[in-house]
Amino acid sequence: MKNRILIASFLFVAAVAFAADPSAPGPLAVSREEYTFGDTAFFPTNFPGPVEVTASVHFPTGLPGGPYPLIVFLHGRHATCFVGGAAFLEWPCVSPRLPIPSYQGYDYISQVLASHGYIIVSISANGINARDNFVFDLGANARAELIQHHLDLWNQFNTAGGAPFGTRFVGKVDLTRVGTMGHSRGGEGVVRHFLLNVSAGSPYGVRAVYPLAPVDFNRSVANNVSLAVMLPYCDGDVADLQGVHFYDDARYRVAGDPTAKHNVLVMGANHNFFNTVWTPGSSNSFPGAADDWNAFVPGGRSDPHCGVVKGNQRLTPEQQRAVGLAYIAGFFRNYIGGEDFAAQFTGDVRATPSQTFVMYQAPDLLTTRRDVNRLLTAADLSTDTLGGDVTQSGITPYELCGGEAPQPRFCLPFERNSRQPHTTPSARSRTTRGLSQLQAGWTSTAAFIENDLPRGTRDVSAFHVLQFRASVNFADLRNPVGLPQNLDVVLTDRRNRSASVRVSDVSGALYYPPGEVIHVPKVLLNTIRVPLTGFGAIDLTDVVSVRFNFDRTGSGALLISDIAFAN
């Protein structure tokens, strides 16, 4: 059966507008300049050649006021040089070939952020791209060191000044408020840079890290920093969406982590269109630009969701950049600038176009999150994280997969790794396991799973939602092809009063994953947030159980993780 679903038809119950649009231009005029210290100006540690020190800078014209937060962008691996219509991978470029300015491909984001009072530095990494496959970590450390080198330059620009800016930026840069965004291999680069900066004693205050369509070859993990990963569902380059590991691996790694973790899944988006230089037909595209899904995926053009067939759900380059701009600008304005765009990243407010799903892990603080069941080990099948009993009826299988041994490594053992990103192996960390998930299937509307809350944990009145992550298991035939799933979430208080909320009334995350060509459909466990205000008159100061009733459909199968009360 062809899976020709229309995502927009069920993705959200209702369109919700932002109170303020994070992608709208700000009040400040913006200037743009570039600096370069040459194509061979920097030598990363144990790297087989020198790299350039080149960047573009967007900043408020005249620099009134300040100091301004600094945000660094790092592009990914792309062809480095061109002549005519041909692209090459070499560094430095051999005449008459010229460099491909991949770092200029995010100017549309830099312009907006600078107009709100930020300095944006987008750095070139062609020299790394030309040789990164010759080092074991595939260039992750070289990219981290290059970012730190640019921050060292900006420390000089801010204190004593220096060429090419003279004293223009002296006292104008707030290096205690730094954010980083990296695309593709640059995404792993910004995570590795955060760890490098910490290992150096945190000379720069990196507060927010944004991997965009990232690789995760080495399974580096960033904690104690606000993190947002963006994954394009129709990525034809990093087709296994391995960057979801950055989110999954950070969730419970550091107890008391006071920072939030986010993942944004963009349906209909590919890898390249976030960068205008990599987008064919854009005003500043260069040789090597491509629609990566249609160019790199065998048979990809015929896919009903990601391909070019009539009625597909692919975003245009302009739509895709609109989504990227909204979430990248909103993330940094929230976590670096202190503005309030948090609801955009919890899933309580959605962007336009409405083709996004989110994963959200609240800070590990008593006031922001109470984990009901982390579903990490077999013990969690009978006793939840709070110490309460877990019971079920009519659920088969009822077991964990994907996490640490003895769990089966893959939840969908007969499917490609690219169709189950949470457990896909990493190139330089192949034995590291993935996300522990509960496999739950049912064939009766009487089936349920219930987690009890022991005394001392039952007052949840200070929390906003009950949330969990889930995905329809497309490999299980109990799920009708192309149709979403549904269930009721039930809370019961000590006086035995119960109230329920139907998931489809608050979330579209139980969609049937679209696509049918090689890398799709994909299982991705997005967050479902059920407002506690929806549970009527029960006593939220004395809740004794959280129950999932699988009573909305006669049969089905889900993968579930991370049940928690949260703000």
Side-chain angles (χ1 to χ4, degrees):
M1 177 179 178
K2 296 289 187 181
N3 177 16
R4 296 182 181 275
I5 59 173
L6 296 179
I7 289 292
S9 68
F10 65 82
L11 192 55
F12 298 115
V13 175
V16 183
F18 291 136
D21 181 0
S23 62
L28 302 176
V30 175
S31 296
R32 182 191 185 280
E33 296 190 21
E34 294 199 4
Y35 63 87
T36 184
F37 292 90
D39 290 344
T40 59
F42 181 64
F43 293 78
T45 303
N46 298 322
F47 196 75
V51 304
E52 75 273 29
V53 177
T54 297
S56 66
V57 188
H58 287 74
F59 57 94
T61 301
L63 297 168
Y68 301 97
L70 182 72
I71 299 174
V72 178
F73 290 169
L74 176 63
H75 65 83
R77 193 173 198 265
H78 188 73
T80 57
C81 306
F82 79 101
V83 63
F88 302 86
L89 195 65
E90 64 185 17
W91 197 256
C93 298
V94 177
S95 180
R97 300 166 189 162
L98 298 172
I100 295 176
S102 293
Y103 65 96
Q104 296 176 359
Y106 314 104
D107 281 1
Y108 68 101
I109 306 172
S110 302
Q111 175 74 25
V112 169
L113 279 168
S115 73
H116 287 281
Y118 298 82
I119 296 171
I120 315 300
V121 179
S122 186
I123 69 179
S124 182
N126 282 338
I128 295 175
N129 289 345
R131 300 185 180 95
D132 56 359
N133 279 355
F134 300 120
V135 293
F136 180 78
D137 73 350
L138 302 171
N141 192 66
R143 291 180 171 90
E145 290 186 356
L146 182 61
I147 295 172
Q148 196 77 342
H149 181 72
H150 278 271
L151 288 177
D152 290 342
L153 287 174
W154 279 92
N155 187 39
Q156 177 182 328
F157 296 155
N158 185 54
T159 53
F165 300 121
T167 59
R168 179 188 306 177
F169 288 99
V170 171
K172 296 297 184 177
V173 189
D174 185 353
L175 291 170
T176 70
R177 291 190 292 163
V178 174
T180 58
M181 184 280 284
H183 188 181
S184 194
R185 293 200 189 191
E188 183 169 36
V190 295
V191 172
R192 181 68 71 86
H193 168 260
F194 172 77
L195 300 174
L196 173 68
N197 186 63
V198 169
S199 70
S202 298
Y204 307 112
V206 182
R207 298 188 181 186
V209 176
Y210 198 111
L212 170 64
V215 303
D216 185 14
F217 294 140
N218 301 279
R219 294 299 282 272
S220 300
V221 186
N223 284 99
N224 298 312
V225 65
S226 298
L227 177 78
V229 182
M230 178 167 276
L231 302 177
Y233 189 84
C234 300
D235 194 321
D237 189 350
V238 188
D240 58 10
L241 303 190
Q242 60 188 259
V244 75
H245 294 317
F246 290 124
Y247 177 93
D248 289 343
D249 292 351
R251 285 154 35 252
Y252 306 119
R253 182 170 175 267
V254 174
D257 186 340
T259 56
K261 305 294 179 283
H262 308 274
N263 185 90
V264 182
L265 174 65
V266 187
M267 307 302 292
N270 72 359
H271 189 83
N272 282 353
F273 287 177
F274 295 110
N275 185 311
T276 58
V277 171
W278 302 354
T279 303
S282 72
S283 60
N284 67 330
S285 65
F286 280 76
D291 178 343
D292 49 278
W293 177 269
N294 291 323
F296 303 155
V297 177
R301 298 175 68 86
S302 67
D303 187 76
H305 180 80
C306 295
V308 295
V309 297
K310 183 178 180 181
N312 77 354
Q313 297 299 298
R314 280 294 302 277
L315 300 182
T316 66
E318 294 76 17
Q319 289 173 327
Q320 182 168 326
R321 287 195 291 273
V323 175
L325 172 59
Y327 279 95
I328 293 169
F331 178 71
F332 289 121
R333 290 178 65 185
N334 187 86
Y335 287 108
I336 300 294
E339 300 179 74
D340 186 5
F341 293 102
Q344 174 183 352
F345 292 91
T346 62
D348 296 333
V349 176
R350 269 85 66 169
T352 300
S354 56
Q355 243 122 346
T356 56
F357 296 101
V358 302
M359 304 171 197
Y360 171 58
Q361 183 83 345
D364 189 15
L365 304 173
L366 292 177
T367 57
T368 54
R369 196 179 89 222
R370 182 176 301 164
D371 295 328
V372 175
N373 200 331
R374 294 180 174 181
L375 292 166
L376 297 178
T377 70
D380 295 329
L381 298 175
S382 56
T383 304
D384 61 34
T385 304
L386 296 174
D389 292 335
V390 184
T391 54
Q392 62 88 15
S393 177
I395 303 296
T396 180
Y398 179 70
E399 60 192 21
L400 299 180
C401 59
E404 298 300 323
Q407 294 181 30
R409 181 162 191 175
F410 302 105
C411 296
L412 283 64
F414 302 110
E415 294 289 343
R416 292 174 177 268
N417 290 335
S418 58
R419 292 186 169 193
Q420 42 187 333
H422 294 289
T423 55
T424 193
S426 296
R428 294 297 183 261
S429 186
R430 298 197 66 83
T431 61
T432 305
R433 293 294 193 99
L435 175 70
S436 175
Q437 303 157 62
L438 171 63
Q439 286 186 303
W442 68 96
T443 55
S444 166
T445 55
F448 71 87
I449 301 171
E450 187 167 44
N451 285 264
D452 290 342
L453 278 59
R455 294 181 184 275
T457 69
R458 295 174 177 172
D459 185 353
V460 299
S461 59
F463 295 100
H464 176 58
V465 299
L466 184 281
Q467 67 176 47
F468 61 100
R469 294 168 68 195
S471 177
V472 170
N473 181 354
F474 67 85
D476 194 305
L477 296 179
R478 287 174 290 184
N479 290 309
V481 175
L483 298 180
Q485 272 295 347
N486 208 355
L487 62 96
D488 281 345
V489 177
V490 182
L491 298 187
T492 301
D493 65 20
R494 192 172 61 86
R495 296 172 63 184
N496 205 34
R497 295 177 300 188
S498 296
S500 67
V501 173
R502 182 169 51 190
V503 164
S504 62
D505 287 342
V506 296
S507 174
L510 294 184
Y511 61 89
Y512 189 96
E516 57 189 43
V517 174
I518 300 182
H519 303 307
V520 290
K522 295 181 188 292
V523 162
L524 286 150
L525 277 69
N526 296 300
T527 297
I528 296 165
R529 284 167 62 87
V530 185
L532 295 187
T533 54
F535 290 97
I538 70 165
D539 184 0
L540 292 176
T541 69
D542 205 356
V543 174
V544 298
S545 69
V546 175
R547 181 174 171 129
F548 295 163
N549 279 343
F550 300 92
D551 55 355
R552 292 290 173 176
T553 58
S555 67
L558 301 180
L559 297 160
I560 300 171
S561 69
D562 303 338
I563 305 170
F565 291 98
N567 286 324

